[in-house]
Amino acid sequence: MQIVTTHKNCDFDGLASVVAVTLLHPGTLAVLPKALNPNVKAFLSVHKDVFDTHIAADIDLDAVRRLFVVDVAQWKRLDGLARLQDRENLAIRIWDHHPGQGDIEAGEICQEAIGACITLLVRELQANDIPLTPIQATLFLTGLYEDTGRLTFPSTTAEDARAAAYLLENAADLTIVGRVLRPAYREKQKKILHAMLESAQRVKVSGYSIGIAHIEIRGHVDSLALVVRLIREVLNVDAAVGFFYNPERDQCMVIGRSGLEELNIGSVMRHLGGGGHPGAGSALMKGVKPAAIEEMVLGLIEGNQQASVRVSDLMSFPVVSVTSQTSMEDVAQLLRKKGCTGLPVIDDGELKGVISRRDFKRVRKKKQLEAPVKAFMTPTVLTITPDKSPAQAVGVMVKHDVGRLPVVEDGKVIGIVTRSDAMLYFYDLLPE
């Protein structure tokens, strides 16, 4: 017997990947965890005649000779299959889009950093010319869209987009996809959200705004990830972390959501024994109080950001500058020679202002070109420190409509970062 399974609290990417394996290997039994995402549970209740699924209790595990694992590579995240962990004659194959994670020793492994696990399997289906029905294509696209935020999450790759196009070519129904991905936001989740927002805090870590919210819960509550996502949106923070403590079990579910690629929540959760990707992650911790876990999370966020790309990695130096007494004509020549659009104005090491091509619009007469820079420069200067991120630099430039920021440390201008510098970074065009 051969079976395929996925992680607890199975989402659409997990379900889609399970079904895809049954197409690649006919006769494979689909074994799902008892805990399912609410939207997945609702989907299966409608499509139970289309997708034949089982739970581990239905299976004679002694008869299993081959195991396929999708969207996960950790034994503890599988449901009811612990007996297979030490089986010597068990062939295992893994498909997962979280590289570097897991403790399942498999003979065949496909782990690639990609937006959705189903993308890996769609590639296999295409390579083997396996036809898809419209409902199968719709399920696969639902899983792909769920894990890539409809192709908008930073973890999305070109291959995810190609897989989506292939599924649409195979009659995937976008109307159904949109309907089943609608968040399961009910009265219980609404009460939890309101209670958490009342005590939520905003903290600064390495220049990022982090929303922190705690609550005690009893019994099972689903769709908590949706609550954390809404907390991030309502608080308008770079990332939000929710701590859901169950005193009856002395365990805390930690769920994080991030809106910035460089603020990698998945990495933080992996250090806590969980998993995820840059935009989302979770971990379950037992016997540790939420306050202690919060301290760990904030420390891990700070540590992760210290290893990220900073403004100091992008800035130009030494800084080409002019003094406040430099004539506008000399500035114009220097701008043309250097091919830049603006320069800082510095007197005796002190930043006095910024002069840009935009300021030359106020030069009406040729004689004004003989005037000193101080007559036309912008005296109010926005600056940034070298430890800030490229995203933060762009945020300042966009908010204040400026094209460059002097980089200041200990009161001294040590470099300058421009909008072009940041764009080169975001589009991965920086030289090696």
Side-chain angles (χ1 to χ4, degrees):
M1 182 192 299
Q2 54 188 28
I3 64 174
V4 55
T5 192
T6 188
H7 54 81
K8 298 174 183 176
N9 198 28
C10 170
D11 56 9
F12 275 110
D13 190 29
L15 174 62
S17 299
V18 164
V19 172
V21 170
T22 65
L23 298 181
L24 284 168
H25 302 278
T28 301
L29 298 182
V31 179
L32 297 181
K34 288 181 288 186
L36 303 173
N37 174 288
N39 287 343
V40 170
K41 187 175 182 179
F43 178 87
L44 285 174
S45 68
V46 175
H47 299 86
K48 63 177 63 178
D49 294 333
V50 179
F51 302 108
D52 186 24
T53 64
H54 310 267
I55 60 174
D58 299 333
I59 303 298
D60 179 8
L61 296 181
D62 292 332
V64 175
R65 292 293 177 266
R66 193 176 190 191
L67 171 66
F68 299 100
V69 181
V70 297
D71 202 27
V72 67
Q74 295 172 296
W75 282 109
K76 69 178 182 180
R77 298 191 66 198
L78 304 184
D79 185 24
L81 300 178
R83 284 170 50 195
L84 298 179
Q85 185 167 352
D86 299 319
R87 178 79 63 78
E88 293 183 358
N89 60 344
L90 181 66
I92 303 178
R93 180 166 188 179
I94 292 174
W95 275 282
D96 188 21
H97 66 126
H98 308 104
Q101 300 182 36
D103 58 3
I104 299 178
E105 295 183 6
E108 298 177 278
I109 300 177
C110 179
Q111 276 187 308
E112 297 180 25
I114 205 165
C117 186
I118 186 59
T119 298
L120 301 174
L121 287 147
V122 167
R123 182 173 66 194
E124 290 287 312
L125 292 168
Q126 285 183 270
N128 288 276
D129 294 323
I130 297 177
L132 302 178
T133 66
I135 188 59
Q136 289 166 347
T138 299
L139 170 60
F140 296 169
L141 187 62
T142 302
L144 196 158
Y145 272 17
E146 179 186 57
D147 256 33
T148 63
R150 293 175 171 82
L151 303 179
T152 64
F153 288 169
S155 55
T156 305
T157 68
E159 190 164 356
D160 294 301
R162 285 191 288 268
Y166 176 76
L167 295 172
L168 288 169
E169 290 170 355
N170 279 268
D173 192 324
L174 284 170
T175 301
I176 294 177
V177 172
R179 186 181 303 136
V180 300
L181 285 181
R182 191 173 297 128
Y185 182 58
R186 296 181 291 275
E187 192 63 32
K188 184 179 290 187
Q189 287 79 23
K190 187 183 297 184
K191 289 180 179 179
I192 290 175
L193 173 63
H194 289 170
M196 295 183 81
L197 285 173
E198 286 181 359
S199 59
Q201 294 181 318
R202 292 184 182 89
V203 298
K204 281 285 185 180
V205 179
S206 295
Y208 296 99
S209 57
I210 312 294
I212 300 293
H214 293 253
I215 196 170
E216 282 193 7
I217 59 172
R218 298 178 186 274
H220 175 71
V221 181
D222 54 42
S223 298
L224 293 177
L226 171 62
V227 172
V228 177
R229 193 196 79 190
L230 292 173
I231 288 172
R232 190 182 78 80
E233 293 176 357
V234 172
L235 294 181
N236 192 27
V237 289
D238 296 321
V241 183
F243 299 85
F244 303 90
Y245 180 64
N246 186 328
E248 297 170 339
R249 299 180 180 179
D250 192 22
Q251 65 182 28
C252 185
M253 173 61 73
V254 189
I255 300 175
R257 290 293 183 268
S258 170
L260 301 175
E261 182 178 10
E262 67 268 25
L263 211 169
N264 192 325
I265 284 294
S267 175
V268 171
M269 296 303 163
R270 285 196 291 275
H271 281 86
L272 299 180
H277 53 79
S282 64
L284 180 65
M285 301 193 72
K286 297 183 179 181
V288 185
K289 298 302 180 185
I293 303 174
E294 177 185 331
E295 185 176 348
M296 294 167 60
V297 167
L298 296 179
L300 286 166
I301 290 176
E302 183 174 18
N304 282 349
Q305 303 327 307
Q306 288 173 351
S308 300
V309 173
R310 306 285 94 194
V311 163
S312 58
D313 299 311
L314 306 182
M315 70 184 188
S316 299
F317 61 90
V319 180
V320 177
S321 64
V322 295
T323 68
S324 60
Q325 296 301 315
T326 305
S327 71
M328 290 295 286
E329 186 172 8
D330 288 343
V331 171
Q333 292 177 2
L334 191 57
L335 289 175
R336 285 193 294 269
K337 180 180 179 181
K338 297 296 182 180
C340 54
T341 59
L343 297 167
V345 181
I346 301 175
D347 286 344
D348 298 325
E350 184 179 350
L351 184 62
K352 295 293 186 179
V354 171
I355 185 73
S356 69
R357 288 180 180 174
R358 187 184 303 179
D359 296 318
F360 277 83
K361 292 180 179 180
R362 292 185 286 132
V363 177
R364 306 294 185 184
K365 301 176 181 178
K366 186 175 181 180
K367 189 172 181 61
Q368 288 179 305
L369 289 173
E370 299 174 6
V373 164
K374 65 179 182 180
F376 293 93
M377 71 181 188
T378 302
T380 304
V381 186
L382 293 165
T383 64
I384 195 164
T385 55
D387 61 312
K388 294 296 189 289
S389 73
Q392 289 171 298
V394 170
V396 174
M397 287 187 274
V398 170
K399 180 178 179 181
H400 298 280
D401 191 25
V402 295
R404 69 206 54 77
L405 293 171
V407 183
V408 176
E409 186 174 46
D410 298 328
K412 300 292 183 181
V413 178
I414 63 170
I416 191 163
V417 62
T418 67
R419 191 177 295 153
S420 297
D421 294 330
M423 289 302 100
L424 286 172
Y425 163 72
F426 283 117
Y427 286 96
D428 200 24
L429 296 175
L430 289 178
E432 294 294 334

